[in-house]
Amino acid sequence: MTEKYSAKIVPLNEDKIGTAAHGTATFEIENDVMKIHISMKDTPKNTQHWEHFHGFPDGKEAQIATKAQDVNGDGFVDLPETEPVSGTTMVPFDAAPHDMNVPNDTYPVSNDKGSFEYEKEVPLNKLQAKFKEVFGTDDLELDKRVIYVHGVPDDLDLPDTIAGAVGHYDQHVTLPIAVGKIVKD
């Protein structure tokens, strides 16, 4: 039996970054493989875009962040401001999602038109084992998660009030640019 999930990805911070990133994501689980396909348009061009699903380890349903999450009033919704409604970063959509190694340089890079496609077949048993190691359960509960796409060019002027650095990656890398609620099809 095949399980299918999808997300309509809508812009976040678009009025501040100059592009309204949007797209779709699909997740298809069959046998021991999760096929992931993410298609994005109107992202900042020629930029690496971190993308992940976020959620709550206790199984609480995650919601997408909106401008209402801009608690410090700087006009941006940064990564820490998404956490109360969306939870924590869980699984990256990079070269090896099943390793759950979030900070790295193997995420998609948009083309000169601001588009990119991400496709990956992930060994479900490896992803579930790592998920259990980190979050205490092997149930991914995709329909309780949200997907985020991050990343703006290094030369975009950001206020000092934006937080969200991860390791040596600064706020340009982690600033959310789009978000979508994952639903079961």
Side-chain angles (χ1 to χ4, degrees), residues 9-14 17-24 38-51 108-118 148-153 156 172 175-179:
I9 303 171
V10 298
L12 186 63
N13 291 315
E14 68 274 16
I17 66 170
T19 63
H22 61 97
T24 58
I38 300 167
S39 177
M40 292 297 299
K41 297 193 181 329
D42 299 322
T43 68
K45 59 186 176 182
N46 303 313
T47 301
Q48 179 173 241
H49 294 289
W50 283 16
E51 47 187 2
V109 175
S110 57
N111 63 24
D112 60 1
K113 292 181 168 77
S115 299
F116 69 85
E117 298 281 331
Y118 171 86
Y148 276 91
V149 179
H150 308 262
V152 296
L156 183 67
H172 289 87
L175 185 72
I177 63 166
V179 60

Side-chain angles (χ1 to χ4, degrees), residues 81-136:
E81 289 173 324
T82 69
E83 290 176 8
V85 295
S86 301
T88 191
T89 303
M90 294 183 135
V91 175
F93 302 126
D94 60 1
H98 53 280
D99 291 342
M100 291 175 50
N101 177 27
V102 172
N104 71 70
D105 289 321
T106 66
Y107 292 92
V109 175
S110 57
N111 63 24
D112 60 1
K113 292 181 168 77
S115 299
F116 69 85
E117 298 281 331
Y118 171 86
E119 290 186 279
K120 184 65 63 182
E121 290 191 9
V122 180
L124 195 57
N125 61 342
K126 289 183 180 179
L127 177 57
Q128 288 173 318
K130 186 67 173 181
F131 199 81
K132 184 170 187 166
E133 177 186 318
V134 175
F135 295 111

Side-chain angles (χ1 to χ4, degrees), residues 1-41:
M1 185 174 111
T2 303
E3 290 181 57
K4 294 182 179 184
Y5 300 85
S6 63
K8 179 182 177 190
I9 303 171
V10 298
L12 186 63
N13 291 315
E14 68 274 16
D15 54 338
K16 295 291 186 180
I17 66 170
T19 63
H22 61 97
T24 58
T26 59
F27 306 89
E28 189 174 301
I29 300 172
E30 188 170 18
N31 300 323
D32 193 35
V33 175
M34 180 166 66
K35 295 177 185 175
I36 304 164
H37 180 232
I38 300 167
S39 177
M40 292 297 299
K41 297 193 181 329

